[in-house]
Amino acid sequence: RPLALLDLPYLYGFRDEAVGLDAARTLTRGNPLGAAGLLSYVNPSRHIYSAIANGEKDSVLGGIIHTPDETFAKLYYLAPASQLDHPHLPDLVENLAEQAGAWGAFHVLAEVDETSNAFISLRKSGFSVYAWQRMWDVSEMAGSGPGSGWTRVKSIHLPSVQSLHHQIVPPLLHPVEPQPKAAIGWMCNEGAKCYVSMTHGTYGIVLTPLIHPEATGVSEKLSGLISNLPDRRNRPVYVCVRSYQAWLEPVLRDLGAKAAERQAVMVKHLVHMVKDTATARSTQPAGVSVQPSR
């Protein structure tokens, strides 16, 4: 059943046992069942939903979140961690997925440590792995280095950023990872080969790079961007590296970044793409004759 407002104190009791499934949101906004996370549930403008499956002895609960106009939703958390083998967990995930479909999402995404029990549970609930990622803590890198030509992305730069996205992200992942729709982040002036988007919150900043392999001086560019982030306020900074950008990991390691555990990026499809061809009739304008070819 959906969680009600009266369930919030019960929800808060699981704050130390929640498994976050949206890595960037967890790093920037803290525990999904912490005080800040619970405030999201009382904001009617946000697409956020939680449900609980009651068993004979124990219960399991989870949440899902969706950004309006996006084609995907994200599993927010599952709790408690000790009940990830709960027999009603697949039914709970299905209920969350139904809500995502009601919001208009085509897919549900989840990011989970490969060694976590949640990985097995999500596989049983219809999720499959389409990529992996690792969060790199680059907080200690900040403090030196020039800006290296990074500028904020403007609307005029959006076509170049979208073109870079299509060059780097494999075509099979385009339905799951759509191209950027808004001019947010930074780009380098080296022929639009370097772009970094940013997610920020009270607890940290997460940078997600799209860097073409032909770009030069990547180490200096990343160091310069991190050391000159505006309005950082001593918050920790992380860089999210997906498997199709794995060549960036040695660069970050040489810069002294600290790697977290590798995570599987999983997807549950709610719809299937149908590509049926159909003949379109052409309409001939009035008074125009078409000469047959010889």
Side-chain angles (χ1 to χ4, degrees), residues 14 16-19 58-60 78-86 117:
F14 286 101
D16 295 328
E17 298 186 71
V19 178
D58 302 303
S59 301
V60 63
L78 292 174
S82 59
Q83 295 295 326
L84 294 179
D85 57 350
H86 196 285
N117 291 333

Side-chain angles (χ1 to χ4, degrees), residues 14 39 84 100 125 141 146 156 253 278 282:
F14 286 101
L39 292 177
L84 294 179
S125 301
M141 291 170 45
I156 194 174
R253 187 178 294 110
S282 61

